[in-house]
Structures are given as C-alpha cells and as structure tokens.
Amino acid sequence: MTFKLTIKDNDDMVSSDTVAITVRTLGAPIADAGPDQAVTEGSIVTLNGINSYDPDGTIAAVQWEQVSGKNIVSLTSPNELITDFTAPAVDSQGDELSFKLTVKDDDDIVSDDIVNLTIIPATVSATSSNGGGSGGGGCFIQTVIN
C-alpha cells in the first residue's frame, strides 16, 4: 500500500511525500512430532521432529516434553528436533507415553504436535534345550527383546 501526505501552509505552499507499506501475514510454524510408535521396553527410542518447519521464516526454539504415561523418562536433548530415551521397564500391561513437541519461529509464533508411544513388555520364551520342555532338567528362562 502507498500513502501520500500533502500539506499546505498559510502561504499556499504545498509539499507532498509518499510512503510504501508492505503488509505481511505471519504464518505459524508447523510442528511435526513424527508418527506414533510401538517399542519394546529397554530399547532406544528416537523422537524425530525434523519435518517441522516455518513457511515464512525459521524455527528459533524447540521443546520436547512428556505429557502422559505411568513411567517418566529423561530425554537426552529436549531442546533439539531429534532426541531419544531408553524405553522404561513396564509391567505385563505395558505403558502409553505421549510427548509434545513445541516449536517457536523467529516471529515468536508457537505451534505444537503430539506423538504417542506404546511401550511393549519384553517377551519370555522357554525351549526344551534350556529347560522349558520335556527331557531337560531344571529351569532356565531366556528373555528375548525384540
């Protein structure tokens, strides 16, 4: 938009000046916490927000936080787009953890997204060679982590 200011003094002297103003609509950043995951207890879990972006600028700040779950975990880099943690030990029911990724752009506009993780308990199996079937003596339990 261009505006013109014209002034006239008491001696009928006239002066004008114009100013051009560009109006820009600020777009919100897009937070993308990645797809939901199912992982086995004890495994390394990566939270990946690398697909987050700002359509009219740059991402200036990042924050991951756990927002639900029976087990509380510690993130290695909660202020980076990619962070990880070790999936906690769970009972036979497992656990559901949710994490919120919040991004702030260079215009101080904030957006967030949630990713949900299902923590699956490690499975226990027994075979005849380790005492779990006929012909073996004693008992041996082998834990298999997927």
Side-chain angles (χ1 to χ4, degrees), residues 14-128:
V14 176
S15 180
S16 296
D17 196 8
T18 59
V19 62
I21 298 176
T22 302
V23 177
R24 180 174 68 125
T25 303
L26 299 178
I30 306 299
D32 184 348
D36 292 348
Q37 302 178 47
V39 299
T40 304
E41 65 182 345
S43 62
I44 301 297
V45 179
T46 300
L47 300 178
N48 188 338
I50 199 73
N51 289 325
S52 301
Y53 66 96
D54 182 28
D56 65 350
T58 59
I59 301 285
V62 173
Q63 177 68 51
W64 285 98
E65 69 176 302
Q66 183 176 348
V67 294
S68 72
K70 293 183 287 190
N71 294 282
I72 305 300
V73 301
S74 179
L75 301 174
T76 59
S77 305
N79 300 111
E80 301 291 331
L81 284 171
I82 298 175
T83 188
D84 57 35
F85 66 94
T86 301
V90 294
D91 61 23
S92 62
Q93 301 301 309
D95 197 2
E96 298 285 332
L97 308 180
S98 294
F99 295 87
K100 179 169 72 169
L101 170 64
T102 302
V103 295
K104 181 169 70 169
D105 70 7
D106 52 342
D107 296 313
D108 288 330
I109 301 173
V110 174
S111 179
D112 58 54
D113 189 30
I114 300 281
V115 62
N116 300 301
L117 283 87
T118 302
I119 310 296
I120 303 167
T123 58
V124 176
S125 66
T127 65
S128 61

